[in-house]
Amino acid sequence: MRWSLAFLFVVLATLCSAEPVKITYAVSGTVIGTNLYEEQPDGSFTSVTDITVMGKRFVSTLKGKVSDGKLTSFSLIQDIPGTKISVVMDGTKVTQTVGQTITVHEVTEPYVALYANNHPQLAKSILKAMKADVPDAQPITMLAIDGGRVTTVKAKFIASQPWSKNGEFLPVKRVEVDLGVAKIQFAYDEDGNVLGESVPIQKMVATVEGGAALFEDPLAKYPELSQPTFTVKTEIGIGIRMHDGVTLVHDMIRPVDAGKYPVILSRTPYGKAGAQLEGEFYARRGYIYITQDCRGREASNGNWDPFVNERKDGFDTIEWISKQPWCNGSVGMIGGSYGGYVQWAAAVERPAALKCIIPQVSPPDAFTNLPYDNGVPMLWSGLWW
């Protein structure tokens, strides 16, 4: 982790200026958007987050007022592709509008801090709620105000030790909030302003300008692992003919420099566009990342018949990859759910180039799990498929 006076000057200048505070969002090292936050002396504020993921733009605009640590009122408008959500809170009354559906509820449980996943500056209230003389985890009730229904959330938070570099104290405070299903790390300046937020489980980091050093990349601790030193490019819509003449389509993210690289293959029925950020993460580290639509899904031809074609299609795809001039002969697979199952299916065919698989939450057995439950057809899952 490298610190400099220049970084601290940039941070202080950003937070002390009259201009909105800008925080940049990145997932797996790829910038996806920004948040602009502006606060007035009377406690009123405006926060706008604008991010684009998988070619889809998401805009969240939050306007409100905080008095004595309580959110007395706010309006939230979230523009999601195909959906517009409006949430208005006045006192304890919350009115939410999704399309033509309006729901109203009350927030009556007391809370001591605010949290909004898309508006990080509201987390300054978390630091204010902490008891400085308590070294252990402290329970906290937060009001979560985006991501759907406005509600209170139970969590725990832990203050970390002040940061230092070569024995020199750095004016940065750290807090980790444990939500049970995820942990969120915050960094603050001495005045309690949010310098950055990290959600490791989402591979997301949001920081002020120059704040990349606020959160340490855990992979950087291991010099034996590939580091992100490559410039990458994306090639889309590449077809591969299967054994029966059907063409399956994939996208490929790869280093710009010519050469032979190990290949990571992801086969999915959920849409290959969703792997863009994951692919850039690996490509910057010297891998070629290929994400393929399964037969009959998205851009690939043929009929979608779950589980039936994945053995041969996986084998044919790996054989094709291994013969390309940019492949060094080693192929690995990764993916979750059905994307985990296709790895087991391909491995059964024993393609010579397949060196490893990383199936995540894959269904264990079609007879005992899905689409059959110990031999009994699961009608709900059948309809869903």
Side-chain angles (χ1 to χ4, degrees), residues 252-265:
M252 178 166 64
I253 303 98
R254 55 168 298 170
V256 169
D257 295 338
K260 291 182 177 292
Y261 300 94
V263 178
I264 298 173
L265 170 64

Side-chain angles (χ1 to χ4, degrees), residues 299-313:
S300 287
N301 297 331
N303 296 320
W304 167 236
D305 197 357
F307 304 103
V308 173
N309 298 292
E310 308 309 349
R311 286 177 58 171
K312 294 295 185 182
D313 286 351

Side-chain angles (χ1 to χ4, degrees), residues 350-365:
R350 302 181 67 84
L354 184 61
K355 307 302 182 183
C356 70
I357 62 174
I358 307 178
Q360 301 153 316
V361 294
S362 61
D365 185 278

Side-chain angles (χ1 to χ4, degrees), residues 369-382:
N369 177 256
L370 187 150
Y372 293 93
D373 183 354
N374 290 293
V376 179
M378 295 178 63
L379 298 181
W380 178 87
S381 62

Side-chain angles (χ1 to χ4, degrees), residues 238-250 265 267 290 292-296 300-303 309-321:
I238 304 168
I240 303 175
R241 286 176 63 85
M242 299 292 103
H243 57 281
D244 58 356
V246 172
T247 298
L248 304 189
V249 178
H250 69 266
L265 170 64
R267 304 189 62 248
I290 290 178
Q292 181 188 67
D293 288 326
C294 289
R295 180 182 293 241
S300 287
N301 297 331
N303 296 320
N309 298 292
E310 308 309 349
R311 286 177 58 171
K312 294 295 185 182
D313 286 351
F315 178 85
D316 290 349
T317 300
I318 294 168
E319 285 290 288
W320 181 88
I321 291 172

Side-chain angles (χ1 to χ4, degrees), residues 25-67:
Y25 286 87
V27 174
S28 296
T30 299
V31 173
I32 61 170
T34 60
N35 169 264
L36 293 177
Y37 178 85
E38 188 170 15
E39 185 176 319
Q40 304 301 324
D42 65 352
S44 61
F45 65 89
T46 300
S47 179
V48 180
T49 294
D50 189 339
I51 62 177
T52 300
V53 180
M54 298 184 297
K56 297 181 179 180
R57 187 182 180 194
F58 166 82
V59 180
S60 180
T61 303
L62 176 66
K63 296 182 179 181
K65 185 174 183 179
V66 175
S67 179

Side-chain angles (χ1 to χ4, degrees), residues 280-348:
E280 291 182 6
F281 174 86
Y282 287 110
R284 284 196 298 269
R285 288 162 171 79
Y287 295 87
I288 292 177
Y289 192 94
I290 290 178
T291 175
Q292 181 188 67
D293 288 326
C294 289
R295 180 182 293 241
R297 298 294 297 161
E298 304 291 335
S300 287
N301 297 331
N303 296 320
W304 167 236
D305 197 357
F307 304 103
V308 173
N309 298 292
E310 308 309 349
R311 286 177 58 171
K312 294 295 185 182
D313 286 351
F315 178 85
D316 290 349
T317 300
I318 294 168
E319 285 290 288
W320 181 88
I321 291 172
S322 67
K323 293 179 173 60
Q324 303 311 302
W326 34 257
C327 176
N328 71 352
S330 293
V331 178
M333 297 183 73
I334 195 170
S337 191
Y338 194 89
Y341 166 80
V342 298
Q343 299 175 54
W344 297 112
V348 169

